[in-house]
Amino acid sequence: MLHILALFSFLLVSSSHAAVQDFCVADLTAPQGPAGYSCKTPAEVTADDFVYSGLSQPGNTSSLFNAAINTAFVDKFPGLNGLGLSMARADIAPGGVVPMHTHHGASETILIAKGSITAGFISSDNTVYLKTLKEGDIMVFPQGLLHFQVNTGRTQALVWVSFSSSNPGIQILSNALFSNNLPSELIEKTTFLDDDEVKRLKALLGGSG
């Protein structure tokens, strides 16, 4: 009987700390290590840690690409920490583009909420998978593969995006080539672009060298 009472007491004490096992809300005030963010103590966690309202308003599409991307990654939404998912909102004006890019840490799924876009990805054997999507269509981009979206319709497009990571990472191909100080002659040799075009793109995207 004493053993049963002791076990019951242990379970009651353990259940009071169960939140530690349920989630790991990111402590954004602490340094981020290779494994991600450390956890807030349960006493510091509130309902607001699990709610994010930053995707409610349309983004400003008056940009170079005529598109706006607003993310809900763990650095903005601490309740996502450790859960392996996140979201984003893409507003794309007619003719706008989400340029060729990759997410090294996640696969991506897009849902067309308004408008029509053409989207696609390129596999590692250079096969192109391309589709024009309408409202309600969903498309998936496997992890690490180059992909893009272009608004080929006549109206503003709204795309909801989900990722299989709370911090998927992103590398935009054009920025990787032309937004830094990689010497122009090396870009020319590795891309077969001529000097004038490389310099034009560097000037457009803020690169040097």
Side-chain angles (χ1 to χ4, degrees):
M1 185 68 174
L2 290 176
H3 292 299
I4 294 174
L5 289 174
L7 177 61
F8 184 68
S9 298
F10 171 77
L11 291 174
L12 284 176
V13 171
S14 297
S15 66
S16 68
H17 298 285
V20 176
Q21 305 299 322
D22 291 339
F23 48 76
C24 173
V25 173
D27 181 358
L28 301 181
T29 66
Q32 184 180 13
Y37 291 98
S38 56
C39 307
K40 282 186 177 182
T41 62
E44 296 175 315
V45 174
T46 72
D48 288 340
D49 290 314
F50 302 101
V51 177
Y52 183 68
S53 302
L55 305 187
S56 59
Q57 297 299 318
N60 182 6
T61 58
S62 298
S63 65
L64 177 63
F65 298 115
N66 293 321
I69 309 296
N70 196 353
T71 61
F73 296 166
V74 67
D75 60 332
K76 299 178 181 177
F77 191 3
L80 293 177
N81 195 42
L83 299 184
L85 52 89
S86 58
M87 291 190 68
R89 172 184 179 141
D91 294 283
I92 313 173
V97 58
V98 179
M100 194 77 71
H101 64 283
T102 181
H103 305 284
H104 63 270
S107 296
E108 174 182 345
T109 304
I110 61 172
L111 166 64
I112 315 307
K114 293 181 182 178
S116 174
I117 69 169
T118 297
F121 68 90
I122 303 170
S123 69
S124 57
D125 66 358
N126 295 320
T127 300
V128 177
Y129 297 88
L130 186 66
K131 190 75 175 180
T132 296
L133 307 171
K134 62 183 185 302
E135 291 182 15
D137 285 343
I138 297 172
M139 187 171 187
V140 64
F141 307 122
Q143 181 173 335
L145 297 184
L146 288 166
H147 57 283
F148 62 91
Q149 296 98 49
V150 179
N151 185 343
T152 49
R154 297 182 178 180
T155 61
Q156 184 103 345
L158 170 61
V159 182
W160 293 111
V161 188
S162 63
F163 299 95
S164 61
S165 169
S166 62
N167 191 17
I170 183 170
Q171 186 171 37
I172 299 173
L173 182 59
S174 53
N175 292 88
L177 288 171
F178 306 112
S179 294
N180 51 42
N181 62 352
L182 182 62
S184 295
E185 59 268 24
L186 292 179
I187 299 176
E188 292 158 22
K189 286 183 179 296
T190 57
T191 63
F192 304 107
L193 295 172
D194 62 40
D195 186 63
D196 288 342
E197 182 65 5
V198 169
K199 288 179 178 177
R200 184 187 74 83
L201 290 168
K202 283 201 168 196
L204 183 66
L205 295 170
S208 62

